[in-house]
């Protein structure tokens, strides 16, 4: 069975600070990887995804993530956050053998103005 | 506009009163799924469907039922809701392919069971 672990439950930082959210997964086969964001009161939106190719993936709103296969990790980064990045962020893994998405527990990010 | 819709968006009910949350997608997706979101636990899959008349349990199916009579609709049924089913529910859909099956999520249904 696949599982996903997000290291931080809550992160508080100031505007212009850099953000890095950790995500590690457990699965023996080939996977697709995703980061979703949920702004307060809104539904899930896809930030970025990795299917194959370049392990450094760029998404919307200046976010990027790096897939490190040897570490089973897919960490999310943003060089300079804004107040509007306040949200909850979810890492998710999907086995190539099926459609099921397995989510991490989420990380709540609060950006102070 | 391609989308997944859910109704109702908010629901407050009492223990034991049967309810149905509807989910509909207009993207001709084969795969549909229900998740519940609880603080600190992320999203957990309740049930999924690979196609019409094909459904299967996810990780937390107890207390829920689903049906898939039409490709576009995938209702979630709580026959006898209990307070521990108070949660935020999301429906999702995607094409059923082995490689690039990005899932699209509905807006969510916030359910409170008193």
């Amino acid at each position: 069975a696949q599982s996903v672990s997000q290291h931080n439950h809550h992160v508080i930082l100031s505007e212009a600070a850099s953000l890095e959210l950790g995500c590690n997964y457990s699965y023996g086969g080939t996977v697709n990887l995703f980061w979703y964001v949920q702004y307060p009161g809104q539904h899930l939106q896809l930030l970025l995804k990795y299917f194959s190719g370049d392990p450094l993936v760029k998404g919307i709103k200046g976010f990027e993530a790096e897939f490190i296969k040897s570490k089973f990790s897919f960490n999310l980064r943003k060089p300079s956050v804004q107040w509007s990045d306040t949200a909850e962020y979810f890492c998710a893994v999907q086995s190539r053998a099926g459609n099921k998405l397995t989510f991490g527990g989420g990380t709540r990010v609060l950006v102070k103005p | 506009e391609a989308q997944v819709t859910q109704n109702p968006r908010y629901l407050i009910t009492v223990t034991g009163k049967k309810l149905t949350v509807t989910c509909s997608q207009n993207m001709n997706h084969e795969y549909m799924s229900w998740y519940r979101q609880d603080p600190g636990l992320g999203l957990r899959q309740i049930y999924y469907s690979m196609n019409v008349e094909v459904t299967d349990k996810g990780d937390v199916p107890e207390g829920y039922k689903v049906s898939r009579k039409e490709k576009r609709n995938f209702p979630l049924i709580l026959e006898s809701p209990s307070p521990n089913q108070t949660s935020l529910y999301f429906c999702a859909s995607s094409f059923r392919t082995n490689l690039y099956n990005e899932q699209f999520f509905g807006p969510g249904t916030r359910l409170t069971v008193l």
Side-chain angles (χ1 to χ4, degrees), chain B residues 13-20 65 77-81:
Chain B
T13 189
V14 296
T15 299
K17 186 176 181 183
K18 181 179 178 180
L19 66 92
T20 299
K65 284 175 56 178
I77 303 155
L78 284 72
E79 294 270 6
S80 183

Side-chain angles (χ1 to χ4, degrees), chain A residues 88-110:
Chain A
E88 189 162 16
Y89 294 81
F90 294 94
C91 181
V93 168
Q94 181 182 57
S95 162
R96 289 278 180 89
N99 295 67
K100 180 183 176 182
L101 271 175
T102 299
F103 285 83
T107 299
R108 285 185 186 270
V109 174
L110 173 62

Side-chain angles (χ1 to χ4, degrees), chain A residues 25 29 34-35 38 40 48 76 87:
Chain A
Y25 67 93
F34 304 85
W35 276 98
Q38 186 177 36
L48 48 79
L76 181 71

Side-chain angles (χ1 to χ4, degrees), chain B residues 49-96:
Chain B
S49 169
M50 298 296 278
N51 215 326
V52 176
E53 301 291 2
V54 181
T55 63
D56 209 345
K57 297 177 181 178
D59 297 319
V60 287
E62 293 77 21
Y64 304 95
K65 284 175 56 178
V66 292
S67 70
R68 187 88 182 274
K69 292 183 170 53
E70 305 164 284
K71 197 172 188 178
R72 64 183 292 125
N73 296 323
F74 190 46
L76 179 70
I77 303 155
L78 284 72
E79 294 270 6
S80 183
S82 62
N84 64 13
Q85 293 178 297
T86 292
S87 187
L88 179 58
Y89 292 85
F90 288 100
C91 180
S93 73
S94 71
F95 288 113
R96 186 190 166 187

Side-chain angles (χ1 to χ4, degrees), chain A residues 13-34:
Chain A
L13 58 166
S14 299
E15 276 192 313
S18 64
L19 173 70
E20 179 158 1
L21 302 182
C23 173
N24 284 88
Y25 67 93
S26 171
Y27 183 68
T30 306
V31 295
N32 298 326
L33 297 156
F34 304 85

Side-chain angles (χ1 to χ4, degrees), chain B:
Chain B
E1 181 190 353
Q3 59 182 347
V4 179
T5 57
Q6 295 178 226
N7 282 292
R9 296 288 313 280
Y10 302 91
L11 179 60
I12 300 175
T13 189
V14 296
T15 299
K17 186 176 181 183
K18 181 179 178 180
L19 66 92
T20 299
V21 183
T22 65
C23 172
S24 183
Q25 50 91 7
N26 61 2
M27 295 169 278
N28 202 33
H29 287 162
E30 298 92 358
Y31 180 88
M32 297 186 74
S33 178
W34 276 103
Y35 298 87
R36 60 176 289 173
Q37 181 184 359
D38 301 290
L41 298 177
L43 281 79
R44 294 175 293 167
Q45 190 181 53
I46 302 170
Y47 268 94
Y48 66 96
S49 169
M50 298 296 278
N51 215 326
V52 176
E53 301 291 2
V54 181
T55 63
D56 209 345
K57 297 177 181 178
D59 297 319
V60 287
E62 293 77 21
Y64 304 95
K65 284 175 56 178
V66 292
S67 70
R68 187 88 182 274
K69 292 183 170 53
E70 305 164 284
K71 197 172 188 178
R72 64 183 292 125
N73 296 323
F74 190 46
L76 179 70
I77 303 155
L78 284 72
E79 294 270 6
S80 183
S82 62
N84 64 13
Q85 293 178 297
T86 292
S87 187
L88 179 58
Y89 292 85
F90 288 100
C91 180
S93 73
S94 71
F95 288 113
R96 186 190 166 187
T97 66
N98 287 334
L99 290 178
Y100 307 124
N101 38 16
E102 174 189 338
Q103 290 190 24
F104 295 85
F105 284 81
T109 296
R110 187 167 292 281
L111 172 65
T112 302
V113 183
L114 302 174

